[in-house]
Structure formats: structure tokens, C-alpha cells
Amino acid sequence: MTQPMTLGQLAETLGAVLQGAAAQPITGLATLQEAGPGQLSFLANPQYRKYLETTQAGAVLLKAADAEGFSGNALIVADPYLAYARISHLFDPKPRAVAGIHPSAVVADDAQVHASASIGPFAVIESGAQIGPGVTVGAHCFIGARSVVGEGGWLAPRVTLYHDVTIGKRVVIQSGAVIGGEGFGFANEKGVWRKIAQIGGVTVGDDVEIGVNTAVDRGALSDTRIDDGAKLDNQIQIAHNVHVGAHTAMAACVGISGSTRIGKHCTIAGGVGMVGHIDVCDNVFVSGMTMVTRSITEPGAYSSGTAMQPLGDWRKSAARIRQLDDMAKRLQQLEKRVDTVTSEGQPASDG
Amino acid sequence: MTQPMTLGQLAETLGAVLQGAAAQPITGLATLQEAGPGQLSFLANPQYRKYLETTQAGAVLLKAADAEGFSGNALIVADPYLAYARISHLFDPKPRAVAGIHPSAVVADDAQVHASASIGPFAVIESGAQIGPGVTVGAHCFIGARSVVGEGGWLAPRVTLYHDVTIGKRVVIQSGAVIGGEGFGFANEKGVWRKIAQIGGVTVGDDVEIGVNTAVDRGALSDTRIDDGAKLDNQIQIAHNVHVGAHTAMAACVGISGSTRIGKHCTIAGGVGMVGHIDVCDNVFVSGMTMVTRSITEPGAYSSGTAMQPLGDWRKSAARIRQLDDMAKRLQQLEKRVDTVTSEGQPASDG
Amino acid sequence: MTQPMTLGQLAETLGAVLQGAAAQPITGLATLQEAGPGQLSFLANPQYRKYLETTQAGAVLLKAADAEGFSGNALIVADPYLAYARISHLFDPKPRAVAGIHPSAVVADDAQVHASASIGPFAVIESGAQIGPGVTVGAHCFIGARSVVGEGGWLAPRVTLYHDVTIGKRVVIQSGAVIGGEGFGFANEKGVWRKIAQIGGVTVGDDVEIGVNTAVDRGALSDTRIDDGAKLDNQIQIAHNVHVGAHTAMAACVGISGSTRIGKHCTIAGGVGMVGHIDVCDNVFVSGMTMVTRSITEPGAYSSGTAMQPLGDWRKSAARIRQLDDMAKRLQQLEKRVDTVTSEGQPASDG
């Protein structure tokens, strides 16, 4: 499905120093443990160095230091993981879409589809939408009225953009993602919820990736925003009016409540939840399943939750946590009593 | 995309007291900070009163008290947020579907589609299904056999109703939602899971909203139920046999396990999980990411989890929680020892 | 929609001992409390035995011990719940698909679709895909290039398989599930995320079930694997390179991070999160919403989190947890001070 390349060609592509047989054909990529003689591997994590000696790989991407003493074929690069990332695309079996509109697609008369774009079977492109050059719109995609997909975008099958959603260049959106759904906006009138129309849209920057079944709601009044280079994994919920800063990455199952703003270059681990209307500054790391209940104003790492225990031990801990306030008071009281007893002795701690 | 209205017309629509220029045209809505001279804004939250003086809004929805001393155009109402909710629909750019069945849709011969309903491209309507007056069925929707969508419903593109799902009037369902999926029912036979057919359906009341990619499973024997006025946000999981009471709202990413019953007028914040087979009474608030492991019989607010800390501090807390049972025992022992030491002195606390 | 059967026929089907009227027609299934005279019920959970006396059911599946003294019709079996599971399929109103390819489906010339398979409206089957005997591919499904669905599989409407996904026999996949999405693989280059092509696929064993809107990502290099008999509920996230062992069940909203391996016969409750690159051994139970942050090497039950409390109490507990490290130190200090005071007295605990 992909063309074999020679090691020499790969060295040239990467600007790597070749150590070994330039004519060696490379047909794919694999880990050091699993690679066969026709496959290229890489050593990025030092803990896998032990596999270097016994690997069957046809060649290995290595740092100069690791290449010393390695007798196999090697491509020497400054950052083997990054080199692997770059070269991985050469061996990607993902089918390439051909330009043109599938005859089954329903495209509004006044939608603009660039001649180099590919529109898959049963796609629907509504009035005033714009599909840029080189864009792939997969089967069963829905592109709402006036929505825009910028140059080089790739939409997997079954992506839904509601109306008035603007997607930048080279954006990747996986199946089932929904951009521009109506945010959860209701006013309560004597116990009954009255819907608030969500009249804002969504603006997604360049080079963003949005994962499988992820939802990004439209803004209530102005746009929800996902800035350049942000990467959202699967099953994420981005509520209305949220702003995700550039180059911030979120792992799967994260939920961000309405109007919260997240800075640039943050890393939000899987399952994190954030309440609404808070600000998280740049360069923050939040660990998995943390509940973020207040703004974060200092870069750094943050966590909540408790460590896993065997169920029996956990039951004791959980019961004790409910007694904690009482324990704290008893501890304080005890300190006073001991102070009294030892009042003639050494002074109590200032703590 | 939407018609401008005059301030006078809006005052009439809302039954508001107009303070200012009736002829002022209003073309949209925006926050106090962002509104321009053609836009209407509102003051609902007292903490935004500071923006009232400097707002560029063409007019503002205000309570009578806030309107005193405000020199701009105002619409005076009892509840500005509710007035905003009502008026928001006048400025909604969401395309209105036209009545009729798109020629690409596949509609079973014995399905009943009201003449005023709109059926989008590539929709599939199966045998015995009923689509009521004024209903919008978006592109790529699937309406299973014998399922019913009541008058005035709005189904975004790509909504799936399995068979035997009954949806009330004026229900809104966002893209990717799946109603009537087969619940997680298995009987274990010597370590192997045997599937139990899910022969119940789903009954959804009037004025319900169901969010993006939310799943409501069908009942194992009788119907899963979502009662009138309930609002379910995105990415929610409602398992088989669950009953959600009227006017209860759930924020995104909530998961409700099988056969749990939730009362009326509850508010379940984002990321909450509930175990199965419990009852939650009316008027309960559950805070974000709480794990509800037992029935709740008293109205009120409930929480679980720990507060976020910087990672280093959190590690200490988490380690200490695992020592809590030991700490509690040591505290108790210490109290006894101090009692012994001070047995001639003041009596220990009853606590 | 389903044919009524007589109690005698059901007894024969199940190999049950019939106590009562063989000619009694049975038209459906219901709980003991809800069943009417034409319905069969079952007693599996001893806590429902109280309903046995007053049930209106036409017949009840019972253990021999429970049948003694029961005057109604009964089918006596070793495991009533398992018998109910088996018989439930006879009363399933789910429409049966007819063999053949719907004229609207788009099937690649070189795809292989068995003559006994059913391909629904607007399904897309890409180049080199194989659909086995008796398979149902629902409306709006997308079967990517070279993907395989084994004999007897049932894909609900709107299931997406990317390219190079291999599904075993008798696999059930619910609506909105996405198998083979591109995993979250990025290399960081000076703060900018560079995409890594995900060139592995997904291998799903026989008798697996995958729930509504669940995502199983393709492998980065080799395949993500879900082994025989595993059952995944709704809204689950399985990241790239994960391996789920045979007959493991996961409830809804679970998230498994990349390269984690889970053993056989595990039960993972709803909302559990697992970090990446860990191993969980066979026969592990993880309770709801637990965060699994390290490998589990011993079978057993594991938990994290805190027990739910009324909000006011919870606030105190949460505040105290943040003081825990300090409390622990003060407790230790106090122990030393009391030791000093009582040094002439009884010895301190070894704890």
C-alpha cells in the first residue's frame, strides 16, 4: 500500500547521517522489539536501549551517542522521536482521497468547493459553506451553512460542523466530532428551563486536531475559540464560550465548562474536569482526572483526587476522610492538653 | 441572516418598559463589554454592573433598579436574563428547515411523516415511524421502526433513534446523540458474558433537550424514561432503565448507571457519576465530578472528591490519605495516653 | 412484532422443568412487579422474592428451591438469570435486516460482501473491505479500506470503521462507535506538536460488544487489540496500542490511556480512568471513577476517590485534606512529646 524506500532516500529526506547500507529497502516502521529486517525502528526513550543489541530492525533512528558501538544500519539524527514522527507519514496506509465531489454528495448551489478538494459519498454541504484547496471531507460529513474549512484540512468520515463554524488550515477532525453544537444555555423560570439561542459560532485556528466524538459547542453570543496548534483528543467536551490557547494539548475525556479560558502550551491529562468561568494561565499541566475548581494563575503542575488502594483499605480511608474535621479538632485539643501538661517544659511548635 | 428589529418592537414583544429611542434598530445581541451601537445587551449578574457605564450597546435589558441613572436606551423588565433568553431566538442565525422530504431520504412506505415536517438529506425513516407536525429531522438522521417524534421537535443532523423510541413535543436533540442503544445487559456464565436482549424502549417527555453525542439506552424490559423539561447536556451516558425526573438538568459528561432514579428539579453538575439501582430525591444538587454511591433521600447539595493542589503538595496529601486509618488509631491511642497522664486533671472532651 | 410462544415450547427451548400449563401463551417478558398474565418473569435476585407471591406473571423462571410452594406456572432452571438472558432474544422487537445491499449504498468494486449479508441505506464500503456471512451493516455505516467484519456481526446504524480494522465473528457494535480513529500521537518540537501517523490498525476478537459512541483508536505501529468476549459499554475511550484481555467487561465512560494492557476477566466499573503504559493483571475489579495510576499485579478489587458528603461537610473534609501532611507531622510530634512526658510510664505503641 505504500512504496518501499531505501535507507539512503530516508537519510536524505531527514537530513540524517547514514551509517550503513544506503540501498537497504525500508517497507515500514516498528518498535525495536517487533521490527523485522525490512523495517525501520527508533530509539527515543533510554529505557528501551536494552533492545538495541537484539533488534532485528533493518535500520534504527538514533542519536549520535547511541549510534556509537551499534553495528547495524543507523540514521543518526538530533531527535529520533521527531524524526520518527516526520517519517511515519511516508508509511501511512491511510487512503488518499481523490479530488472531486462524489456524485451522491448534496452540495448547495451557493457553496464554494475548491476544485482540488475531495467531497465523500453522502456528504452534505450547506448554503454559503466554503471548502478550501486540498481539503478532504469524508463520507457522511455535514458542513453547515456559512461554515468554512481552510486549506489542507482533513475531515474523517462522519464529522459534523453546524452553521457558522470557521476552521483554519491543515486541521484534522476525526469521526464523530461535532463542532458548533448548541451549548447548554438555559434560563430558569420558576423551576422550568427556558432555552437561550446560541447565536455565536466556533473559530478553530490552524493546525488544530480534534479527536473522535469530541464536542465543541458554539458560543452563546460570540465564538468559542480553539487556537492554532491545539490538539484535542477523543471524547472531549468543550462548552460554549471556552477559549483554548495555542499549542495546548488535551488528552481524552476532558470536560471544560462554559466560558473558561485556558492558556497556551498547557497539557491537560485525561479525564480532567474544569468548572466554568475560570482562567488557567499558560504552561500549566493538570494530571489525570483532576477537578479544576478555581483559576490557576501560576504555571506548574496541579492535581486532585486520591491514590488507588485495594478496596478494603480504600473503604477505611474513605470512612476516615469523613471524620477528618473531627480528627483535626481532636488533634488541636490534644495539643493544648499536652501544652498544659508540659507547660513547665519545652515550648509547643509554632505550626 | 436575521431581520433587524426596532427597540420599540422588542419592548412590545417582551412587554418591557422602553426607556429611550423606540426607533433604534437592533441587529443582534452581545455582552455589555462587546456590544456595539446596533446591539442589545443585558445586565443579569450584579458583578457586571461595572460595565454598564461604559457599554457601547445600543440598548440594555435592565431591572428597574439598574435603569435608574442609566442614560442609554433600556428595556426595563423583571428578569433581564429571562428576557434575553426569550429574545435570543429572534437573532438566532440557525437555518430554518423547509417542509418536505428531501429526495435523497429513505422513508418506509408505512412511516407517517406530517406534511409540515422537514426531512433532511440521507435521513432514514423506518417502518411504522411517526414524524409529527413541524418536526425537523436533520441530514443523516436515523429514525428506527415504530419510533415517534412529537410535534415541533428539532433533530440536528446525525441523530440516531433506534426502534420503539417515543419522543414528546418540542424536543431538541443535538448531533451524534443516540437514543435507544442496547443497554449493557449481560449474564455471566462461568466467566463468559451472555447478551440479554434489551426489549424495552425509551420514552422522552415534552420540552426535553438532549446534547451532542449523548447516549440514552433503551430499557431491558420496560422503557428508560426522561421526563418533561429535563435538559441533558453533551457526552452524557444514561443507562438502561434509568428514570430522569421532570425539569432536572445535567451538565456534560455525566454517567448514570442502570435502573437509577433521579427526581424532579435536580441539578447534576458536569462529570458526575452515579452507581446503579439508587434513588435520588427531588431538588438535589450534585457538584462536579462527584461519585454518587448511595441513594439521596434529603434535598440539598452533595459532593465528593478532593480540592486541587499543586502537584507536590497533592502527592503528600495523597500519601497521607493512605495513612489516615493508622493516623486515626494513633490519635485515639494518644488521647487515651493523655487521659491517663491527666486523669487527675480536667476531664477529656465528650466528642 | 414477535410471535407468542407457549410455555411448553419455552420449557423445551431452555431444557427447563415445566410446572403448570404447557399451553399457556407467552407474549413477552417483564419484572415480577410489572408482568401481566401473558408475560414470563424471573426470580434471580433473592431480594425480589417478596414479589413472587403477588406477581401477575403468566409464568416465572425459578430455581427448584424457589418453585416449592409457588402455585403459579413455573419454568424450573438451574440459573434463572441466564435462562432469562437466553429467552430474551425470542422476544426482542429489534427489526431483522434482510440480506442484500440497499441500492443507495456505495460499495467499492473490489470489496467483498457475502450474499447473506445486509448492507443498509447510505452505507459506504471501501476498497478491499470484506463483509462476512450473515453480517448486518446498518444505515450510514462506513467500512474503511481493507477492513473486515466477521460472520454474524451486527453493526447498528452509523458505525465507523476506519481502514485496516479487523472485526471477529458475532461482534455487536452500537451506533456512533468509531473503531480505528487516529490515536493521539504527537512529538513535541519546541512547544509545537508534530503529528505521528498512526500506521497500525485494530484487531477485535470474536463475540465482542462495543457500545454507543465508544472510540477504539488504531495502533501507532502495531494493532490495538480487544480480545474475544470483551464487552465495552457506551462512551468509552480506548487509546492507541491498548490491549483489552478476553472476557473483560468495562462499564460506560471508562478511559484507557495509550499502551496500557488489561488482563482477562477483569471488570472495570463506570468512569474509571487508567494512565498509559501500565499492566493490569487478570481478574481485577476496579470500582467506579477510580483513577488507576500504576500497574496492578494482584487480582482483587481496587478503588480511589472519596465518599460523597453533604456539601458543607465535604468542604470541611476537602479543606482538612489539604492540611493532612501538617496534621500527620503534628501527630508525630505530639507522640514524641507524650513519650517524653510518660517516659517513666508504659511504652509507646510500635505502630
Side-chain angles (χ1 to χ4, degrees):
Chain A
M1 33 188 144
T2 49
Q3 296 289 343
M5 299 185 73
T6 66
L7 206 49
Q9 288 171 317
L10 291 174
E12 204 176 312
T13 300
L14 287 171
V17 173
L18 170 63
Q19 178 178 296
Q24 165 82 34
I26 296 294
T27 60
L29 299 174
T31 61
L32 286 171
Q33 304 101 291
E34 295 184 347
Q39 291 176 304
L40 178 68
S41 192
F42 60 95
L43 174 58
N45 185 333
Q47 76 180 83
Y48 294 119
R49 189 175 289 128
K50 59 189 173 192
Y51 297 118
L52 194 55
E53 250 176 80
T54 55
T55 186
Q56 302 295 309
V60 183
L61 289 162
L62 291 172
K63 286 188 190 177
D66 290 316
E68 284 174 37
F70 177 63
S71 59
N73 296 320
L75 293 177
I76 301 168
V77 292
D79 184 337
Y81 196 62
L82 204 54
Y84 151 58
R86 286 181 56 194
I87 226 159
S88 66
H89 298 275
L90 302 178
F91 297 100
D92 191 353
K94 180 159 74 169
R96 306 287 155 182
V98 291
I101 298 174
H102 191 277
S104 65
V106 171
V107 179
D109 291 343
D110 63 349
Q112 298 172 37
V113 177
H114 194 274
S116 62
S118 171
I119 309 297
F122 310 124
V124 175
I125 317 252
E126 296 229 301
S127 173
Q130 300 173 43
I131 310 296
V135 168
T136 296
V137 173
H140 303 124
C141 282
F142 178 90
I143 311 295
R146 298 174 300 278
S147 286
V148 177
V149 183
E151 184 172 350
W154 185 82
L155 275 57
R158 186 155 60 87
V159 165
T160 298
L161 310 186
Y162 279 55
H163 58 281
D164 299 301
V165 170
T166 304
I167 306 285
K169 295 177 181 173
R170 298 171 302 277
V171 169
V172 171
I173 310 184
Q174 305 289 340
S175 288
V178 177
I179 318 297
E182 295 177 2
F184 203 62
F186 299 95
N188 198 297
E189 183 180 19
K190 298 174 188 166
V192 173
W193 298 102
R194 304 296 182 192
K195 186 175 176 76
I196 300 169
Q198 304 290 300
I199 67 182
V202 179
T203 300
V204 174
D206 297 336
D207 302 301
V208 167
E209 178 146 350
I210 296 176
V212 170
N213 285 343
T214 281
V216 180
D217 281 341
R218 65 192 314 105
L221 290 167
S222 49
D223 284 10
T224 301
R225 287 175 49 191
I226 313 290
D227 286 354
D228 291 353
K231 308 293 182 184
L232 309 186
D233 197 358
N234 299 353
Q235 309 275 28
I236 286 173
Q237 155 69 2
I238 304 289
H240 55 190
N241 313 325
V242 165
H243 180 178
V244 177
H247 309 293
T248 279
M250 287 186 195
C253 305
V254 166
I256 309 295
S257 304
S259 301
T260 280
R261 301 166 57 93
I262 301 172
K264 298 172 188 171
H265 298 289
C266 293
T267 305
I268 313 299
V272 165
M274 293 196 190
V275 300
H277 298 272
I278 61 171
D279 284 327
V280 173
C281 67
D282 298 345
N283 297 303
V284 163
F285 168 77
V286 182
S287 74
M289 294 178 78
T290 290
M291 177 70 181
V292 182
T293 49
R294 55 178 173 82
S295 289
I296 298 178
T297 55
E298 292 293 321
Y302 297 84
S303 289
S304 74
T306 77
M308 184 180 71
Q309 296 183 272
L311 184 62
D313 295 342
W314 175 82
R315 284 212 177 101
K316 288 181 194 166
S317 300
R320 293 302 188 188
I321 286 172
R322 297 171 67 169
Q323 303 164 1
L324 249 185
D325 191 53
D326 176 60
M327 278 175 65
K329 287 173 181 161
R330 285 160 54 202
L331 178 62
Q332 196 170 22
Q333 190 173 41
L334 211 49
E335 284 172 328
K336 284 183 192 160
R337 291 174 67 194
V338 173
D339 283 353
T340 306
V341 169
T342 62
S343 54
E344 72 285 3
Q346 71 273 45
S349 146
D350 284 339
Chain B
M1 29 192 148
T2 50
Q3 296 290 341
M5 299 184 74
T6 65
L7 205 49
Q9 289 170 316
L10 291 174
E12 204 177 313
T13 300
L14 287 170
V17 174
L18 170 63
Q19 177 177 295
Q24 164 81 35
I26 297 294
T27 59
L29 299 175
T31 60
L32 285 172
Q33 304 100 292
E34 295 183 348
Q39 292 177 302
L40 177 69
S41 192
F42 60 96
L43 173 59
N45 186 332
Q47 74 179 83
Y48 294 119
R49 188 173 291 127
K50 59 188 174 193
Y51 298 116
L52 195 54
E53 251 177 79
T54 56
T55 187
Q56 302 297 310
V60 183
L61 289 161
L62 291 172
K63 287 188 191 180
D66 289 316
E68 285 175 35
F70 177 63
S71 59
N73 295 321
L75 292 177
I76 301 168
V77 292
D79 184 336
Y81 196 62
L82 204 53
Y84 152 58
R86 286 181 57 194
I87 227 160
S88 66
H89 298 276
L90 302 178
F91 298 100
D92 191 353
K94 181 160 74 168
R96 308 286 157 184
V98 291
I101 299 175
H102 191 276
S104 66
V106 171
V107 180
D109 290 344
D110 63 349
Q112 297 173 38
V113 177
H114 194 275
S116 62
S118 171
I119 310 296
F122 310 124
V124 175
I125 316 251
E126 296 229 300
S127 173
Q130 300 174 43
I131 308 298
V135 168
T136 297
V137 173
H140 303 125
C141 282
F142 178 91
I143 310 296
R146 298 174 300 279
S147 285
V148 177
V149 182
E151 185 172 350
W154 186 83
L155 277 55
R158 184 152 66 83
V159 165
T160 298
L161 310 186
Y162 279 55
H163 57 282
D164 299 300
V165 169
T166 304
I167 305 285
K169 295 177 181 173
R170 300 172 299 278
V171 169
V172 171
I173 310 183
Q174 305 288 340
S175 289
V178 177
I179 318 298
E182 296 178 1
F184 203 62
F186 299 95
N188 198 296
E189 183 180 18
K190 298 173 188 167
V192 174
W193 298 101
R194 304 296 183 191
K195 186 176 176 74
I196 299 169
Q198 303 290 300
I199 67 182
V202 179
T203 299
V204 173
D206 296 337
D207 301 302
V208 168
E209 178 146 350
I210 296 176
V212 170
N213 286 343
T214 281
V216 180
D217 282 340
R218 62 194 314 106
L221 290 166
S222 48
D223 283 9
T224 301
R225 288 174 51 191
I226 312 291
D227 286 355
D228 290 354
K231 308 292 182 186
L232 309 187
D233 196 357
N234 299 354
Q235 309 276 28
I236 286 174
Q237 153 69 3
I238 304 288
H240 55 190
N241 315 322
V242 164
H243 181 179
V244 176
H247 308 295
T248 280
M250 286 186 197
C253 306
V254 166
I256 309 294
S257 304
S259 301
T260 280
R261 299 166 59 93
I262 300 172
K264 298 173 188 171
H265 297 290
C266 293
T267 305
I268 314 298
V272 165
M274 294 196 188
V275 299
H277 298 273
I278 61 172
D279 284 328
V280 172
C281 67
D282 297 347
N283 297 305
V284 164
F285 168 76
V286 183
S287 74
M289 294 179 78
T290 289
M291 176 68 183
V292 182
T293 50
R294 56 180 173 79
S295 288
I296 297 178
T297 55
E298 292 294 322
Y302 297 85
S303 289
S304 74
T306 76
M308 184 179 70
Q309 296 182 273
L311 185 62
D313 296 342
W314 175 82
R315 283 211 178 102
K316 288 180 195 167
S317 299
R320 292 302 187 189
I321 286 172
R322 296 171 68 170
Q323 303 163 0
L324 248 186
D325 191 54
D326 176 61
M327 277 175 65
K329 287 173 181 161
R330 285 161 53 203
L331 179 61
Q332 195 169 23
Q333 191 174 40
L334 211 50
E335 285 173 327
K336 283 183 191 159
R337 290 173 68 194
V338 173
D339 283 353
T340 306
V341 169
T342 62
S343 54
E344 73 285 3
Q346 72 272 42
S349 146
D350 286 338
Chain C
M1 29 190 150
T2 51
Q3 296 290 341
M5 298 184 74
T6 66
L7 206 50
Q9 288 171 319
L10 291 174
E12 204 176 312
T13 300
L14 287 171
V17 174
L18 169 63
Q19 178 179 295
Q24 165 81 36
I26 297 295
T27 59
L29 299 174
T31 61
L32 286 170
Q33 303 102 292
E34 295 183 347
Q39 290 177 305
L40 177 68
S41 191
F42 61 95
L43 173 59
N45 186 332
Q47 76 179 82
Y48 294 119
R49 188 175 289 129
K50 60 189 174 192
Y51 298 117
L52 194 55
E53 250 177 80
T54 55
T55 186
Q56 301 296 309
V60 183
L61 289 162
L62 290 172
K63 286 188 191 178
D66 289 316
E68 284 175 37
F70 177 64
S71 60
N73 295 321
L75 293 177
I76 301 168
V77 292
D79 184 336
Y81 196 62
L82 204 53
Y84 151 58
R86 285 180 58 193
I87 226 159
S88 67
H89 298 275
L90 302 178
F91 297 99
D92 191 354
K94 180 160 74 169
R96 307 287 155 182
V98 291
I101 299 174
H102 191 277
S104 66
V106 171
V107 180
D109 291 344
D110 63 348
Q112 297 172 38
V113 177
H114 194 274
S116 63
S118 172
I119 310 296
F122 309 124
V124 175
I125 318 248
E126 296 228 302
S127 173
Q130 299 173 42
I131 309 297
V135 168
T136 297
V137 173
H140 302 124
C141 283
F142 178 90
I143 312 294
R146 298 173 300 277
S147 285
V148 176
V149 182
E151 184 172 349
W154 186 82
L155 275 57
R158 183 155 62 89
V159 166
T160 299
L161 311 186
Y162 279 55
H163 57 283
D164 300 300
V165 170
T166 303
I167 305 285
K169 295 177 181 173
R170 298 171 302 278
V171 169
V172 171
I173 310 183
Q174 306 288 341
S175 289
V178 177
I179 319 296
E182 296 178 0
F184 203 61
F186 299 95
N188 198 297
E189 182 180 18
K190 298 173 189 168
V192 174
W193 299 102
R194 304 297 182 190
K195 186 175 176 75
I196 299 169
Q198 303 291 300
I199 67 181
V202 179
T203 299
V204 173
D206 296 336
D207 300 302
V208 167
E209 179 146 349
I210 295 175
V212 170
N213 285 344
T214 281
V216 180
D217 281 341
R218 62 192 317 104
L221 290 167
S222 48
D223 283 11
T224 301
R225 286 174 51 190
I226 312 291
D227 286 354
D228 291 353
K231 308 293 183 186
L232 309 187
D233 197 358
N234 299 354
Q235 308 275 28
I236 287 173
Q237 154 69 0
I238 304 289
H240 55 189
N241 315 323
V242 165
H243 180 177
V244 176
H247 308 295
T248 280
M250 286 186 197
C253 305
V254 166
I256 310 294
S257 304
S259 301
T260 280
R261 300 166 58 94
I262 300 172
K264 299 173 188 171
H265 298 290
C266 293
T267 305
I268 314 298
V272 165
M274 294 197 190
V275 299
H277 299 273
I278 60 172
D279 284 326
V280 172
C281 67
D282 298 346
N283 296 304
V284 163
F285 168 77
V286 182
S287 75
M289 294 179 78
T290 290
M291 176 69 183
V292 182
T293 50
R294 56 179 172 80
S295 288
I296 298 179
T297 56
E298 293 293 322
Y302 297 85
S303 289
S304 74
T306 78
M308 184 180 71
Q309 296 182 273
L311 184 62
D313 296 342
W314 174 82
R315 284 211 177 102
K316 288 180 193 167
S317 299
R320 292 302 188 188
I321 286 172
R322 297 172 67 169
Q323 304 164 0
L324 249 186
D325 190 54
D326 176 60
M327 278 175 65
K329 287 174 181 160
R330 285 160 54 201
L331 178 61
Q332 197 171 22
Q333 190 174 40
L334 212 49
E335 284 172 327
K336 284 183 192 157
R337 292 173 66 196
V338 173
D339 284 353
T340 306
V341 170
T342 63
S343 54
E344 72 286 2
Q346 71 272 46
S349 146
D350 285 339

